[in-house]
Amino acid sequence: DAKTTQPNSMESNEEEPVHLPCNHSTISGTDYIHWYRQLPSQGPEYVIHGLTSNVNNRMASLAIAEDRKSSTLILHRATLRDAAVYYCILGDSNYQLIWGAGTKLIIKP
Amino acid sequence: NAGVTQTPKFQVLKTGQSMTLQCAQDMNHNSMYWYRQDPGMGLRLIYYSASEGTTDKGEVPNGYNVSRLNKREFSLRLESAAPSQTSVYFCASRMRAGVETQYFGPGTRLLVL
């Protein structure tokens, strides 16, 4: 079973920031938090990952709660091309990714 | 640099037929994976190969077999297809098991009648 909980869908306006939440209350001390996204009719692509500290890259930022039981993916300025399903994922003891259903992000022009 | 490639892109099978899905990566990755994705769902791991010469079952291995042909190629075989195997199949690779990024192929859409 997926170890994360995400809203089924979210809407945002183009060129505004988007905050995608994820709950992972059973996270262990060694679990990394991974985010992938899947554009329509494509394979998933990596977005960002982190362990304890907040992380930034060219695509997004990842804010991790101090107790690590939740995290938030931040898209600083959403475009229509960011419309996708976003997956928040933890790994199991063999480092395999356990996928949930994700959040469908809808961007309104 | 093609990344991860999969063939075929689409396939229609009749119940009981067999077929092999092919996957190749040109990134010199050690680990390779096969997932399936049913409509509205996340990915589920079928089999994986942590390194050349090894394969292990994932979450949903029943009805499938795999072969790690060499470091580049990892194939998935359906010996006797069933309608429940109608799905989109994704192959992925990463440098090694761990926290490294997984890179995905474009997927194979399979319909079993």
Side-chain angles (χ1 to χ4, degrees):
Chain A
D1 290 340
K3 301 192 230 179
T4 61
T5 303
Q6 299 177 255
N8 289 334
S9 64
M10 291 184 62
E11 288 189 2
S12 182
N13 294 319
E14 194 177 11
E15 298 187 3
E16 291 186 356
V18 179
H19 291 238
L20 295 166
C22 180
N23 288 317
H24 27 78
S25 57
T26 61
I27 192 170
S28 72
T30 56
D31 282 340
Y32 277 79
I33 303 157
H34 305 260
W35 284 83
Y36 282 72
R37 73 179 186 180
Q38 188 173 21
L39 302 172
S41 300
Q42 294 190 28
E45 64 176 351
Y46 169 81
V47 178
I48 201 166
H49 76 279
L51 183 61
T52 56
S53 303
N54 294 344
V55 184
N56 299 296
N57 65 22
R58 64 176 180 79
M59 287 182 71
S61 296
L62 177 60
I64 302 172
E66 195 169 336
D67 63 6
R68 302 208 328 124
K69 293 182 185 292
S70 65
S71 60
T72 302
L73 179 71
I74 302 164
L75 307 179
H76 294 287
R77 193 164 165 270
T79 70
L80 295 177
R81 287 174 294 184
D82 292 320
V85 178
Y86 286 78
Y87 296 95
C88 169
I89 306 162
L90 303 184
D92 66 10
S93 58
N94 292 317
Y95 302 105
Q96 306 313 326
L97 303 180
I98 309 298
W99 300 69
T103 296
K104 182 176 183 178
L105 178 62
I106 299 165
I107 305 296
K108 296 181 289 185
Chain B
N1 197 346
V4 179
T5 57
Q6 293 183 235
T7 56
K9 287 185 169 54
F10 303 96
Q11 185 71 48
V12 179
L13 291 179
K14 295 180 180 177
T15 297
Q17 287 184 317
S18 63
M19 78 162 295
T20 300
L21 282 65
Q22 306 287 354
C23 173
Q25 51 89 12
D26 62 2
M27 296 174 283
N28 200 35
H29 286 171
N30 293 298
S31 300
M32 297 186 73
Y33 305 81
W34 275 106
Y35 293 91
R36 62 177 286 174
Q37 184 176 34
D38 299 328
M41 308 277 287
L43 277 66
R44 291 186 291 170
L45 183 64
I46 305 171
Y47 271 94
Y48 66 99
S49 172
S51 61
E52 187 179 356
T54 69
T55 60
D56 286 286
K57 295 178 180 179
E59 182 186 356
V60 288
N62 291 344
Y64 305 95
N65 285 300
V66 290
S67 295
R68 184 73 183 267
L69 303 170
N70 48 55
K71 191 171 186 179
R72 289 187 64 248
E73 298 171 290
F74 189 38
S75 63
L76 178 72
R77 183 160 178 83
L78 288 69
E79 291 290 352
S80 179
S84 61
Q85 294 178 304
T86 293
S87 191
V88 181
Y89 292 84
F90 290 102
C91 178
S93 70
R94 61 181 171 183
M95 182 56 69
R96 56 184 174 272
V99 298
E100 283 83 4
T101 300
Q102 286 196 11
Y103 294 86
F104 285 83
T108 293
R109 284 156 179 77
L110 177 64
L111 173 62
V112 183
L113 301 174

